[in-house]
Amino acid sequence: MISSKMIKLTQNNSVIRAMFEEGNRLAAEYGRENVFDFSLGNPNFPSPPAVKSALIDVLESVEPTEIHGYMSNAGFPSTRSAVADFLNGAHGVSFSADNIIMSVGAAGGLNVVLKTLLNPDDEVIAISPYFVEYGNYVGNYDGKLVVVPANPADFQPDTAKIAAAVTEKTKAVIINTPNNPTGVVYSEASLKALAAALEAKQTELGTSIYIISDEPYRELAYDGAFVPYVTKYYRNTLVCYSWSKSLSLPGERIGYIVVPSELDEYQLIFDAASIATRVLGFVNAPSLLQLAVERCVSAQTDIGAYDANRRLLYDSLTSFGFDCVLPQGAFYMWVKVPDGDDKAFVAAAKKHNILFVPGTSFACPGYVRIAYCVGKSTIEHSLPGFSKLAEEYGLEKTGLEKK
Ligand code: PLP
């Protein structure tokens, strides 16, 4: 018999993946252009040209044995320095290479951090709706995911509820801002309140409670939204960053962990996380990509196309009568299901060849997530289907679309 944990995971195979497969099936039946697949957060826009130039520069100017060889588990010192310098300039922090560990995307970084921190039965708080894999990652190290709902009015963290969920076994609180799936950016006030509550709990319980800030969407913020840098608000913060979304590189698996010197047990955590990178079998983050991001660390994707999609989708869906959260960041729209049955709503949309993910998959039924990191024409062509869906649910048009 194989691993019972894996048998369970296989049976519960992620709904998001299942939707993706369904999209391929529908595309084969109706043609790709007639299927509107909003299920996966796979960026549809190419990486900025600086990424290609950086890759070419690495291949042409660095010795192949250096590019492709083994290295220290934490990554190339030069890459880690470049990341630290960039963060210092961008956020007014003071990191050095000794605070950066290169990682295999955010997923790799989160696993390294959880492997480093957790003993069996330790608790990790997640704020629902949350990225569905957190439960699996925490389960990898026999931890327990404790789910605390966000404030339903604005999907900001509910500090009082988080504080009430903290026990002596609480090792960490995972936050994700800009947020998948709501598109909400946590405000400075929310982060200050969370920091104060966790500081108080650490003092009360005599424990260390770490914030793990999962940040693959940091640069994807609209209308100049301010995305506070979490280490500046709470001393025991580890950051898991990834270029998957910001530079459209999800298949390349490249990111980093920030391990600030102010952490309780900083040196132990840094050393353990470097070893975790090795013993989890990643050994180190992909070497070619490390050297490439070192050369284009300040490159930015033009978020204009995501912004245009966001506006078009939000204006259209609200004009059809849907109740949507206007995303401040990331590339997801969080839409309230008119009658609250998200799974039935997903099935009804599928009849119009529109695919998106039920809120149940993010531990928040009654909503759906629409990933709008797609070509604009996908949105344009999906609108008649969304309009019919609104009619089927008896929604009143607001008339805004006539503007
Ligand atoms: N965290 C969140 C909130 C995500 O949405 C994702 C990917 O969609 C990840 C982590 C994993 O990112 P990566 O591809 O960098 O591992």
Side-chain angles (χ1 to χ4, degrees), residues 105-107 110 131 134 176 180 214 216-217 242 244-245 253 332:
L110 288 164
F131 178 54
Y134 292 159
N176 166 226
N180 172 13
D214 176 24
Y217 304 98
S242 161
S244 290
K245 317 286 174 166
R253 315 306 305 134
Y332 304 107

